[in-house]
Amino acid sequence: MRAFASFAREILKIDTHAHFFPTIGKEEAESFMFAKPPWLNINGDDSAMMMDGDTEYRFVQSPLWDPVGRLKEMDDNEIDVQIISPTPLLFSYTSDPKNVARWSARINDFGAASCEANPQRLYSLCQVPLQDFDQARIEVSRSMAAGHVGVHLGTHVNGRNFDDPEMIRFLHYCATEGIPVLIHPWDMMAPERMPKYMLQWLVGMPAETHLSILSLILSGAFERLPTDLKVCFAHGGGSFAMLLGRLDNAWHRHELVRQDCPRPPSEYVERFSVDSAVFDDKTLQFLLDVMGDARVMMGSDYPFPLGEIHPGEMIKNSELIDDETKQAVLYDNAANFFGITND
């Protein structure tokens, strides 16, 4: 385990939910033979447009790809450590697995190289061609050997949820190899019904994350997976916490809900963690009540538009959360989850 430097502030901060995007131009992206390759159209003013094939996807700033700029903004926001992960647009689960294996290696090598700018403060998660177990296993093992501290996965693969046997098989491999997993919503459901108002992010993302969690609970997958699997769901676990009472009620009243799940859904909260990206301290207090203080980690969704403007500030300044819990959420839980030490 790498150790990061001590800082003078009273509580250290680890941001577990921060993204990067490699400096891959259109020509290089097209060499991987995807139908709509993601790439970065960099301007000359420290800004760029994320591209989805020929379609403009999102305007971004240079800290997304420049670790020097990233570290400066971390200093400005008093963030001691970031766990950086590939932007979900890069997952490419719909393409040929062998091409995506090469692509993922390119993404992951960029992430690892970015962390070399300050290996005490930057740690990276890798991505894998999750549509193919063997290719995913090979790439996650290679990346972990290269210094990554976990793997970043999307909530589904071409409509296959996490109750799919091959998806469970990959999670089992991560558990046996001690590889932490961060699951992030992507490719949101029903886009034809959510074309405006960022509804795919406001409605689709919480629903995708909730569906991913329930796929593991109601299918009985958590019963078959090792208890030492480390898995965290981004964006506060979506709508799971708010709907947990509804889930338990359905489990008790309907055989269809409990047919593969031997225990009420609320008994599985001890099997996973969530990040704190809920942007309101009353909501965070509720999330902590549901999940427990040890299973919520600070995450900001840096540096994207719906991310926390000043990462960690809401937690630090909250009058609803005691100092011991703040310490756990801002630092301790992530340090334990990803195996980061402050020596």
Side-chain angles (χ1 to χ4, degrees):
M1 296 187 295
R2 281 183 284 151
F4 65 86
S6 294
F7 287 75
R9 294 187 305 281
E10 184 176 351
I11 300 179
L12 301 176
K13 298 178 189 174
I14 300 176
D15 188 351
T16 63
H17 183 172
H19 295 295
F20 71 87
F21 197 115
T23 50
I24 295 176
K26 184 177 184 180
E27 183 176 354
E28 181 183 1
E30 289 176 342
S31 72
F32 290 89
M33 298 182 289
F34 301 160
K36 291 179 66 179
W39 56 284
L40 201 59
N41 188 8
I42 299 178
N43 303 316
D45 58 352
D46 294 328
S47 67
M49 181 64 68
M50 285 167 47
M51 303 293 295
D52 185 15
D54 292 326
T55 303
E56 292 186 347
Y57 185 82
R58 181 179 296 158
F59 180 79
V60 291
Q61 301 288 341
S62 60
L64 182 63
W65 67 86
D66 174 23
V68 175
R70 179 183 296 270
L71 286 162
K72 182 182 183 302
E73 291 202 349
M74 287 170 62
D75 288 340
D76 292 343
N77 288 307
E78 298 186 344
I79 297 297
D80 302 298
V81 172
Q82 269 190 1
I83 312 293
I84 64 172
S85 53
T87 301
L89 182 64
L90 299 165
F91 286 149
S92 305
Y93 294 153
T94 61
S95 300
D96 177 77
K98 291 184 178 179
N99 289 337
V100 180
R102 294 190 300 113
W103 170 259
S104 295
R106 171 70 170 90
I107 304 301
N108 297 337
D109 290 347
F110 182 93
S114 295
C115 294
E116 292 176 2
N118 191 328
Q120 293 181 315
R121 299 185 66 192
L122 295 176
Y123 296 76
S124 55
L125 304 182
C126 64
Q127 70 171 52
V128 296
L130 192 57
Q131 61 268 56
D132 184 290
F133 169 79
D134 289 326
Q135 296 286 348
R137 174 185 57 80
I138 291 169
E139 180 54 29
V140 75
S141 297
R142 185 195 75 88
S143 294
M144 292 298 290
H148 293 261
V149 296
V151 62
H152 189 220
L153 306 178
T155 44
H156 69 94
V157 173
N158 303 327
R160 289 188 289 138
N161 297 319
F162 270 97
D163 57 352
D164 180 86
E166 290 297 283
M167 308 270 273
I168 296 172
R169 186 182 177 198
F170 183 74
L171 291 179
H172 196 286
Y173 180 79
C174 290
T176 57
E177 296 297 311
I179 300 170
V181 178
L182 175 65
I183 297 178
H184 191 291
W186 90 296
D187 188 28
M188 276 69 79
M189 61 183 77
E192 71 282 357
R193 296 180 60 201
M194 297 183 280
K196 299 185 292 185
Y197 317 125
M198 294 193 78
L199 288 177
Q200 289 190 54
W201 284 261
L202 300 177
V203 176
M205 275 193 168
E208 283 289 343
T209 310
H210 187 202
L211 176 58
S212 188
I213 295 172
L214 286 193
S215 295
L216 287 168
I217 292 175
L218 296 182
S219 69
F222 274 132
E223 297 290 335
R224 303 189 296 277
L225 286 164
T227 57
D228 57 356
L229 170 68
K230 290 183 175 182
V231 58
C232 177
F233 292 88
H235 292 284
S239 48
F240 172 80
M242 182 59 68
L243 296 179
L244 186 52
R246 180 182 181 88
L247 303 176
D248 273 1
N249 179 64
W251 186 91
H252 285 290
R253 299 185 65 184
H254 294 279
E255 174 64 28
L256 185 63
V257 176
R258 61 178 181 267
Q259 63 182 2
D260 297 320
C261 179
R263 296 185 287 148
S266 58
E267 293 190 16
Y268 292 91
V269 297
E270 63 188 19
R271 295 299 305 274
F272 61 93
S273 298
V274 299
D275 75 12
S276 67
V278 294
F279 313 108
D280 172 75
D281 62 347
K282 290 182 180 178
T283 305
L284 179 60
Q285 183 185 41
F286 174 77
L287 186 64
L288 288 162
D289 287 342
V290 172
M291 296 300 303
D293 296 354
R295 289 186 294 276
V296 180
M297 298 180 281
M298 198 268 277
S300 70
D301 200 18
Y302 174 92
F304 290 144
L306 291 184
E308 190 174 2
I309 297 174
H310 299 292
E313 187 173 87
M314 181 266 292
I315 300 169
K316 180 181 177 182
N317 295 336
S318 175
E319 296 182 358
L320 302 176
I321 303 169
D322 61 43
D323 288 346
E324 183 178 354
T325 302
K326 290 179 182 181
Q327 172 77 37
V329 175
L330 288 171
Y331 168 68
D332 290 347
N333 296 341
N336 292 332
F337 190 89
F338 290 107
I340 297 171
T341 61
N342 177 29
D343 296 333

